[in-house]
Amino acid sequence: MIETPYLLFLGDAPDQLAAKVAIGIRDWRPENAVGQYRMEGCKADLGLTDMDLEAAKAAGAKTLVIGVANRGGVISQAWKKVLVTALEEGFDLASGLHNLLRDEPDLVAVAEATGRKLHDVRIPSVKYPIANGEKRTGKRCLAVGTDCSVGKMYTALAMDAEMRERGMKCSFRATGQTGILITGDGVPLDAVIADFMAGSIEWLTPDNDEDHWDLIEGQGSLFHVSYSGVTMALIHGGAPDALILCHEPTREHMRGLPGYKLPTLEALRDTALPLARVANPACQVVGVSVNTQHMGEDEARAYLEKVEADMGLPATDPFRFSSGKLVEALAAL
């Protein structure tokens, strides 16, 4: 497990979007975020206290988390001085980049000399089984999207928080680096060998109480030609009882694919549900989560009303408004 709380390292992030990992931690585990470390030229700001290593240590931070992703997911040479000094001053390091901390000889040498830990959360630490498709006790909900980065993780986390407030049994099951850094555990699905991806999700969502819900963090999209494989593994390995459809309505094309338009919510429903019923014939689509961050409030509420009328399903922005409608849909199953 990664020791908390964290100092969130933003480095020389070129914009706010590049700090996506740190933003997720700030939004969902604010108690774990004592401050932010920004280098000269950083254009991201979490609204947290800017701290140097000494101040963060005094505030109780135990791990420096690389909360920014640059192009290619590499550990920039410009960051190295800070990372080495952090190890020397008693911090562990955690990263979800494709460029691994353990592959940097200078960081490994300093970590060994100081007795500190390097956490590469994008590397599987378990020997996962091949999926067997056997029925498991308990219940599971999976968010599936019309595109990547439309709010699948935020949907599951918002539902998890709401269900806990209501006294319902539930667990958020992280499947990506940000989710793992938020919760301290999970499966880095995009780094699992393909034959074992579905099995890793079976492992992540084992037998449980009949009234317990696993809220599985979604990844990719069945309609995204780059990342559909991880979505398929979640659908079959998760064997969900419930699907939440996720959508960001202001996009002009699929993320990173200018030549591909987003599918409709109806197309997502009609594609995802038959595939889910291969592993769980009882699966149902129970609600719609809409990421309305780029809409005004009146526009957002009107859009949600239209989605409910068109789809015949409860619809909300669970982060901006409330996840109550989606939780009630699960409770009714």
Side-chain angles (χ1 to χ4, degrees), residues 131-206:
N132 58 32
E134 293 179 1
K135 175 67 176 173
R136 306 187 295 286
T137 56
K139 297 180 179 180
R140 289 154 194 87
C141 174
L142 173 66
V144 292
T146 53
D147 194 9
C148 300
S149 302
V150 292
K152 298 182 291 294
M153 182 186 75
Y154 271 54
T155 297
L157 284 165
M159 293 176 68
D160 178 64
E162 177 74 16
M163 292 169 78
R164 289 176 185 277
E165 285 186 11
R166 297 185 183 208
M168 298 172 68
K169 297 178 185 177
C170 62
S171 299
F172 170 74
R173 303 297 190 182
T175 61
Q177 69 270 27
T178 305
I180 292 171
L181 286 166
I182 289 170
T183 63
D185 199 11
V187 169
L189 187 59
D190 66 1
V192 175
I193 294 172
D195 276 359
F196 302 95
M197 287 197 300
S200 74
I201 304 306
E202 288 187 349
W203 174 90
L204 184 66
T205 58

Side-chain angles (χ1 to χ4, degrees), residues 8-324:
L8 300 177
F9 177 74
L10 304 186
D12 50 3
D15 52 38
Q16 196 76 356
L17 185 59
K20 170 181 167 180
V21 173
I23 290 169
I25 295 171
R26 177 205 65 188
D27 286 348
W28 294 106
R29 292 296 184 270
E31 69 278 11
N32 288 346
V34 302
Q36 63 184 15
Y37 187 112
R38 298 191 294 166
M39 296 172 61
E40 184 177 352
C42 181
K43 293 182 174 61
D45 187 355
L46 305 180
L48 300 175
T49 302
D50 284 297
M51 292 183 174
D52 60 18
L53 295 173
E54 183 179 1
K57 197 68 179 174
K62 299 183 185 307
T63 303
L64 179 75
V65 172
I66 297 177
V68 58
N70 56 18
R71 186 172 179 81
V74 300
I75 296 172
S76 164
Q77 287 303 311
W79 302 350
K80 279 290 187 71
K81 184 177 179 180
V82 177
L83 301 182
V84 168
T85 304
L87 290 168
E88 292 173 339
E89 295 193 10
F91 289 87
D92 292 340
L93 300 182
S95 170
L97 297 173
H98 285 293
N99 182 180
L100 305 180
L101 296 169
R102 70 185 71 174
D103 288 341
E104 298 296 312
D106 48 355
L107 297 180
V108 171
V110 177
E112 290 177 350
T114 57
R116 306 319 307 168
K117 295 178 181 177
L118 303 177
H119 298 281
D120 287 304
V121 302
R122 216 168 190 151
I123 293 299
S125 58
V126 173
K127 186 176 181 180
Y128 300 118
I130 291 176
N132 58 32
E134 293 179 1
K135 175 67 176 173
R136 306 187 295 286
T137 56
K139 297 180 179 180
R140 289 154 194 87
C141 174
L142 173 66
V144 292
T146 53
D147 194 9
C148 300
S149 302
V150 292
K152 298 182 291 294
M153 182 186 75
Y154 271 54
T155 297
L157 284 165
M159 293 176 68
D160 178 64
E162 177 74 16
M163 292 169 78
R164 289 176 185 277
E165 285 186 11
R166 297 185 183 208
M168 298 172 68
K169 297 178 185 177
C170 62
S171 299
F172 170 74
R173 303 297 190 182
T175 61
Q177 69 270 27
T178 305
I180 292 171
L181 286 166
I182 289 170
T183 63
D185 199 11
V187 169
L189 187 59
D190 66 1
V192 175
I193 294 172
D195 276 359
F196 302 95
M197 287 197 300
S200 74
I201 304 306
E202 288 187 349
W203 174 90
L204 184 66
T205 58
D207 287 322
N208 218 314
D209 294 342
E210 292 294 344
D211 57 348
H212 178 279
W213 280 96
D214 275 336
L215 303 166
I216 307 170
E217 179 187 3
Q219 299 290 337
S221 170
L222 288 171
F223 293 86
H224 200 293
V225 296
S226 304
Y227 307 117
S228 56
V230 290
T231 313
M232 194 71 256
L234 285 162
I235 288 174
H236 284 170
D241 300 275
L243 294 177
I244 305 289
L245 309 181
C246 297
H247 184 53
E248 205 281 60
T250 68
R251 292 189 185 174
E252 296 182 359
H253 58 76
M254 302 286 281
R255 184 170 171 82
L257 298 175
Y260 288 80
K261 297 292 185 183
L262 268 67
T264 63
L265 283 164
E266 289 85 354
L268 175 61
R269 175 198 62 201
D270 295 344
T271 302
L273 186 58
L275 292 171
R277 285 180 171 170
V278 171
N280 183 353
C283 184
Q284 299 180 46
V285 176
V286 300
V288 181
S289 173
V290 182
N291 180 346
T292 65
Q293 64 176 318
H294 298 303
M295 302 171 117
E297 182 163 340
D298 290 345
E299 182 186 11
R301 292 190 183 279
Y303 185 85
L304 291 169
E305 289 180 6
K306 184 177 187 305
V307 169
E308 288 192 336
D310 291 346
M311 300 292 294
L313 293 167
T316 186
D317 181 327
F319 187 69
R320 185 177 189 176
F321 301 128
S322 167
S323 64

